């Protein structure tokens, strides 16, 4: 197997479909440009899907879960047991993303990449890969071995292939892992060459003292691993988490398989930034759902030249912000595909 699969070319966009969609937008019964970004979303989705009238009806949501050794530094108000407990909650249908997936009629895939407290027995509906009892504490060395990193990247790729096999129109990745905002913040600082004070936030609800402790932890991590700032794969192994690696692998695979991805919040956006650093060609296949409350999120979106669809002050994660943005994409497609043209409605076109 080629361990550098993520460097393979992304599927090219269909410029013929883009052009046809652009022409159709010009013919619909509305002032040209009056639907703003919804028009551009429909045209871009046409290029991604290779059809003049794109659709976003069959959704695949994958939640990757993994624990982080850095949690022992007190960077989260929650114990690591919560990661496994929330996986059970996802499987039982009680979490926010479970509710949203039901409402959207989406396939919801749950993947245990490595919880600190192994789920025994595994809940029904959870795919258990278990690459380890969470990552190692990155203040004491690399978070992951090279093999764990490759396996996590491939877990994301394999999830995308399952989505593609059932004809999904859109892929959403989500995450669950106590202390994963610390990992994502450290990665973002290293990738963007920004100080910890600029990007580190409260995560799941730290107070000012907790945030200061988290900043200090990230600063120590950057001092330890900073020599690898120009090596995205090495940074992933040293500072990342299983779920962050899987998300990056999923975004890379979406581009290669030709499946549009809707990126969720801060942690997912850091994974997307990492994916783009590993293979810049994947950027065209990424749509961005929202800008969340975590202070580093906006910086990461800016680095990706991303225009999020929503800004609701969200900081839940687990793919919830992306799920909330899906109706906008669906309506953009329905307006594009179902509105009458001036000719069909016998309405005079002022632009002609």
């Amino acid at each position: 197997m080629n361990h550098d699969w993520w460097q393979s070319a992304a599927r090219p966009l269909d410029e013929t479909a883009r052009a046809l969609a652009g022409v159709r937008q010009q013919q619909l019964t509305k002032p040209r440009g009056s639907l703003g970004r919804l028009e551009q979303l429909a045209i871009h989705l046409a290029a991604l899907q290779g059809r003049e009238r794109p659709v976003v009806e069959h959704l695949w949501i994958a939640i990757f879960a993994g624990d982080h050794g850095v949690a022992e530094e007190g960077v989260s108000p929650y114990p690591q047991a919560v990661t496994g407990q929330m996986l059970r909650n996802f499987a039982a249908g009680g979490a926010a993303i479970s509710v949203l997936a039901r409402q959207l009629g989406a396939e919801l895939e749950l993947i245990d990449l490595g919880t600190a407290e192994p789920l025994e027995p595994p809940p029904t509906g959870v795919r258990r890969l278990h690459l380890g009892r969470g990552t190692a504490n990155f203040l004491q060395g690399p978070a992951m071995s090279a093999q764990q990193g490759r396996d996590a990247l491939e877990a994301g790729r394999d999830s995308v292939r399952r989505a593609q096999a059932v004809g999904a129109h859109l892929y959403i990745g989500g995450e669950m892992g106590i202390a994963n905002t610390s990992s994502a913040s450290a990665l973002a600082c290293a990738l963007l060459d920004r100080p910890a004070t600029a990007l580190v936030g409260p995560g799941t609800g730290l107070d000012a003292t907790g945030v200061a402790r988290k900043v200090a932890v990230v600063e120590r991590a950057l001092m330890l691993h900073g020599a690898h700032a120009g090596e995205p794969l090495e940074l992933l192994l040293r500072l990342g988490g299983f779920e962050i690696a899987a998300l990056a692998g999923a975004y890379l695979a979406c581009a290669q398989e030709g499946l549009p991805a809707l990126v969720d919040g801060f942690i997912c956006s850091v994974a997307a930034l990492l994916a783009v650093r590993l293979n810049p060609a994947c950027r065209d296949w990424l749509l961005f759902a929202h800008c969340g409350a975590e202070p580093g999120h906006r910086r990461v979106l800016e680095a990706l030249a991303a225009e999020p669809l929503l800004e609701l002050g969200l900081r839940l994660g687990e793919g919830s912000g992306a799920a909330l943005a899906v109706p906008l994409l669906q309506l953009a497609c329905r307006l594009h595909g179902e509105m009458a043209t001036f000719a069909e409605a016998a309405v005079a076109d002022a632009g002609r």
Side-chain angles (χ1 to χ4, degrees):
M1 182 183 67
N2 178 8
H3 289 314
D4 294 335
W5 61 268
W6 52 84
Q7 296 176 344
S8 297
R11 183 170 297 187
L13 275 59
D14 190 325
E15 297 303 330
T16 299
R18 187 199 300 276
L20 290 171
V23 170
R24 176 169 177 77
Q25 277 291 334
Q26 298 289 322
Q27 297 172 342
L28 299 179
T29 47
K30 58 179 175 58
R32 294 176 187 179
S34 59
L35 286 176
R37 287 185 59 202
L38 295 181
E39 297 183 13
Q40 295 308 311
L41 282 169
I43 292 170
H44 187 60
L45 282 166
L48 295 175
Q49 294 187 354
R51 53 181 129 191
E52 179 187 350
R53 302 188 194 193
V55 292
V56 180
E57 301 301 326
H58 189 177
L59 311 171
W60 185 279
I61 302 174
I63 308 299
F64 300 99
D67 273 310
H68 294 254
V70 73
E72 66 190 31
E73 303 294 334
V75 293
S76 173
Y78 293 94
Q80 284 189 305
V82 168
T83 301
Q85 291 166 359
M86 282 302 297
L87 260 180
R88 292 188 184 279
N89 191 29
F90 294 147
I97 192 58
S98 309
V99 174
L100 290 165
R102 283 197 301 272
Q103 181 64 28
L104 294 169
E107 300 275 354
L108 180 60
E109 178 179 60
L110 307 173
I111 303 171
D112 173 12
L113 295 166
T115 51
E117 298 184 11
L119 300 181
E120 298 292 351
T124 300
V126 175
R127 185 180 293 269
R128 190 169 183 269
L129 300 184
H130 206 72
L131 306 180
R133 291 195 172 194
T135 57
N137 185 342
F138 58 51
L139 292 188
Q140 299 172 7
M144 289 179 275
S145 69
Q147 187 62 55
Q148 287 174 319
R150 284 194 295 268
D151 289 346
L153 283 163
E154 289 170 9
R157 179 197 64 187
D158 294 345
S159 173
V160 169
R161 290 179 174 176
R162 289 190 290 272
Q164 191 77 319
V166 298
H169 298 139
L170 184 73
Y171 184 93
I172 292 173
E175 41 63 37
M176 178 63 214
I178 295 302
N180 62 4
T181 58
S182 295
S183 181
S185 296
L187 272 171
C189 288
L191 291 168
L192 299 179
D193 191 23
R194 301 283 300 186
T197 51
L199 300 183
V200 172
T204 50
L206 289 172
D207 59 16
T209 300
V211 172
R213 180 169 55 248
K214 188 173 171 182
V215 167
V217 166
V218 171
E219 287 175 338
R220 288 169 59 195
L222 295 173
M223 289 180 64
L224 180 62
H225 303 288
H228 300 276
E231 307 167 50
L233 182 59
E234 188 65 25
L235 287 175
L236 173 63
L237 299 178
R238 289 174 172 272
L239 298 170
F242 297 149
E243 77 280 36
I244 295 173
L247 286 162
Y251 298 142
L252 290 158
C254 278
Q256 293 168 351
E257 299 288 334
L259 179 59
L262 183 60
V263 179
D264 188 42
F266 174 59
I267 294 158
C268 291
S269 295
V270 171
L273 177 63
L274 180 71
V276 171
R277 293 292 176 88
L278 288 170
N279 187 342
C282 77
R283 173 62 184 85
D284 285 340
W285 290 88
L286 305 179
L287 305 168
F288 292 84
H290 73 107
C291 183
E294 194 72 4
H297 195 187
R298 191 176 302 277
R299 302 281 191 181
V300 173
L301 292 173
E302 289 171 353
L304 287 161
E307 294 185 75
L309 299 174
L310 303 172
E311 188 160 357
L312 300 173
L314 304 174
R315 55 182 180 88
L316 176 58
E318 66 187 48
S320 57
L324 286 167
V326 165
L328 274 178
L329 296 181
Q330 292 176 326
L331 290 170
C333 290
R334 288 189 175 274
L335 287 165
H336 176 79
E338 297 179 18
M339 282 181 68
T341 65
F342 284 103
E344 289 167 345
V347 172
D349 181 359
R352 293 187 180 276

